[in-house]
Amino acid sequence: MSEEKFQSPKIENVVASGSIADSIDLVELSETVENCELNKKRFPGAVLRLQNPKITVLVFSSGKVVITGVKSHDEFVRGLDNLILKMKEAGVICHDTPDVAVTNMVCSYNLGKYINLNKVVITLNLENIEYEPEQFPGLVYRMSDPKVVALLFSSGKIILTGGKTMDDIERGVAFLEQMLGNI
């Protein structure tokens, strides 16, 4: 049974990072906010799990955060708003405009056809390719424009990572489709 080709890349995860405050008392935060864990022996930041949307935030005393688990731009905005609300409720003085931006997107795509990875290696520029089937069944292809890394599997499934916008990912898919169409 063959799977249908995706019409567009599917977002699997978005990572965003930036600054929401000048400083944060992590001990007070972990004691005040539900689902916030702090174990300084294991990790220098607090781990905050939000439920709506379901995301994980790494919070550092410097006021910087890393948000992961986001699946869409709307979810990112809602998650950031929810995070700021929780921080303010815990007494954290947040920036009026948080400086948080997407740093990495991970998307999946199904080309809908078998990919002969050995032929791809022979046809393309070897400087941009890593393929050691004894170590990993996928071919790693590093694009320079857009700056995206694609993992190609013989099944036709592709994982794209490194893009900061959906435009980066879609340009990467278009390039791969064109390149693989010629092989």
Side-chain angles (χ1 to χ4, degrees), residues 50-169:
L50 299 177
Q51 297 306 310
N52 187 19
K54 191 170 181 169
I55 60 175
T56 300
V57 184
L58 304 178
V59 184
F60 299 94
S61 60
S62 64
K64 294 190 185 309
V65 295
V66 177
I67 300 171
T68 187
V70 178
K71 303 267 189 202
S72 70
H73 180 71
D74 289 344
E75 217 174 78
F76 168 67
V77 172
R78 281 189 306 124
L80 185 57
D81 288 346
N82 191 1
L83 172 64
I84 298 298
L85 180 66
K86 290 243 186 253
M87 292 292 155
K88 287 182 177 177
E89 286 173 356
V92 175
I93 300 168
C94 296
H95 298 311
D96 292 335
T97 308
D99 182 22
V100 180
V102 171
T103 55
N104 183 35
M105 297 180 77
V106 178
C107 297
S108 60
Y109 185 73
N110 189 347
L111 194 59
K113 67 177 186 176
Y114 171 82
I115 303 171
N116 183 336
L117 298 177
N118 289 318
K119 199 170 183 181
V120 171
V121 170
I122 293 167
T123 308
L124 296 178
N125 181 356
L126 288 175
E127 289 179 21
N128 300 340
I129 292 178
E130 292 174 36
Y131 183 51
E132 296 182 38
E134 303 83 23
Q135 301 293 320
F136 181 69
L139 181 147
V140 179
Y141 184 72
R142 297 179 192 285
M143 295 175 232
S144 54
D145 186 32
K147 197 164 173 65
V148 171
V149 176
L151 303 175
L152 285 72
F153 297 91
S154 58
S155 65
K157 300 229 170 85
I158 300 171
I159 303 294
L160 298 111
T161 186
K164 294 185 184 342
T165 65
M166 272 312 285
D167 182 59
D168 290 344
I169 299 295

Side-chain angles (χ1 to χ4, degrees), residues 9-24:
K10 178 183 174 209
I11 298 173
E12 300 295 341
N13 186 30
V14 175
V15 177
S17 63
S19 178
I20 62 166
D22 289 330
S23 67
I24 299 173

